[in-house]
Amino acid sequence: MPRFLILLLFVCIASAVSPPESNGRISNGENSSPYDFPSAVGLLISGTSDHTFCGGVLISTRFILTAARCVVGTNTITVLAGASDMTRIVDVIPVLNIPSHIIIHPNYSSFFNRDDLAIIQLSRPIVASDLVQIANLPRRYHVPFTFNGWNSTIVGWGSSGNRENEPLPQQHLQHAHGEIISNFVCGLSHSFVREGHVCTATEFGGPCDGDEGSPIYAEVDGEKLVLAIHSFHFSGIRGCDRGRSAVNTRLTEYLDWIEQNTDVVILN
């Protein structure tokens, strides 16, 4: 049986044993419709003990952004597109296991939580549709923006954070809203918060295990943009959405690097 069919079978099995509640993914998240976030993708990962599943976002028909921590040391990645319901995946695309198809930011440091960004090149172009679309990235004139106080939305198939050993991915894509807070305030709860980060509040839900690499969206000038990629969060005894903000990689700090390593043209 081809590898991608085996992985697809794994996804269906995992979703079949998912708990039936609809309000517990991504920590207090809500179900997303197939048309809400069609640029979000799931990543099945093997070869690393740290992550077996992460999120990502389509930035062209050939390239995906995710967190570097998701793909360091990995052997195999399979991209699940149009998967707002993991039992009805639109497209399954393997990633070739060669260095040029997994590009980790050269300054990435897991210890310092720095430059947590990676680019994945698909083995074939993805076919865009109503259910699979390309995300809009920030423009160059957005670079000076802090976005403090803006409302943001994170999506993902990660754990609810309310019980141990939840299967990943969860069946339904979830989303949660959180205000963007200043890096100064964020730094009171987390070490190594820097200009390359953007932090989001989690009082009304936030990312949890399995949501690393997932996109953070915001409405800017009437357009839904991907402002950041989720990097890390606090996992405590009260769950992933309690007590501390979530820390994400701010994309406006990496526009040149993205343009140099993909076929994406960053608009002015």
Side-chain angles (χ1 to χ4, degrees):
M1 181 182 294
R3 181 184 296 272
F4 76 89
L5 290 179
I6 296 174
L7 290 169
L8 183 58
L9 179 61
F10 164 80
V11 173
C12 294
I13 293 173
S15 62
V17 298
S18 298
E21 302 92 301
S22 63
N23 63 344
R25 321 295 185 249
I26 212 172
S27 288
N28 293 345
E30 303 174 18
N31 278 345
S32 303
S33 83
Y35 307 99
D36 287 339
F37 306 99
S39 59
V41 299
L43 305 177
L44 288 176
I45 303 166
S46 66
T48 171
S49 59
D50 294 333
H51 296 88
T52 59
F53 184 86
C54 278
V57 62
L58 278 167
I59 59 172
S60 82
T61 59
R62 290 298 299 268
F63 290 94
I64 285 169
L65 282 183
T66 188
R69 66 183 67 235
C70 291
V71 297
V72 169
T74 185
N75 287 332
T76 303
I77 299 173
T78 302
V79 176
L80 311 176
S84 61
D85 182 339
M86 280 289 176
T87 64
R88 300 178 180 181
I89 301 170
V90 173
D91 206 350
V92 179
I93 306 176
V95 175
L96 297 180
N97 187 18
I98 57 178
S100 63
H101 282 218
I102 302 176
I103 304 172
I104 296 170
H105 195 280
N107 296 325
Y108 167 65
S109 169
S110 60
F111 180 81
F112 292 107
N113 292 318
R114 181 182 66 200
D115 302 309
D116 188 11
L117 196 62
I119 294 167
I120 296 175
Q121 183 174 343
L122 302 175
S123 57
R124 60 171 172 81
I126 200 163
V127 178
S129 67
D130 290 343
L131 304 179
V132 180
Q133 294 184 13
I134 309 304
N136 296 314
L137 294 180
R139 311 291 194 257
R140 294 192 184 279
Y141 80 85
H142 292 134
V143 171
F145 289 33
T146 65
F147 296 105
N148 293 344
W150 291 48
N151 187 49
S152 70
T153 303
I154 182 170
V155 305
W157 293 267
S159 170
S160 71
N162 296 322
R163 67 184 181 86
E164 295 182 354
N165 300 319
E166 284 184 304
L168 294 178
Q170 302 284 358
Q171 179 178 345
H172 296 287
L173 178 66
Q174 294 279 300
H175 66 272
H177 304 295
E179 181 181 335
I180 296 174
I181 63 175
S182 71
N183 283 13
F184 174 78
V185 172
C186 186
L188 300 177
S189 299
H190 296 286
S191 301
F192 307 121
V193 173
R194 59 190 75 238
E195 289 183 359
H197 289 134
V198 59
C199 298
T200 48
T202 59
E203 286 85 352
F204 302 103
C208 198
D209 300 341
D211 291 319
E212 296 87 350
S214 294
I216 288 85
Y217 299 92
E219 292 285 340
V220 183
D221 298 330
E223 184 179 31
K224 184 185 292 184
L225 302 183
V226 178
L227 295 186
I229 297 295
H230 179 55
S231 179
F232 64 95
H233 50 265
F234 176 68
S235 296
I237 58 175
R238 297 179 61 197
C240 295
D241 62 332
R242 303 293 191 268
R244 300 188 187 184
S245 53
V247 184
N248 317 288
T249 302
R250 184 187 295 267
L251 292 188
T252 50
E253 294 288 316
Y254 300 91
L255 296 180
D256 288 340
W257 182 74
I258 292 170
E259 191 171 55
Q260 291 164 6
N261 290 280
T262 69
D263 57 5
V264 174
V265 176
I266 304 299
L267 302 177
N268 290 323

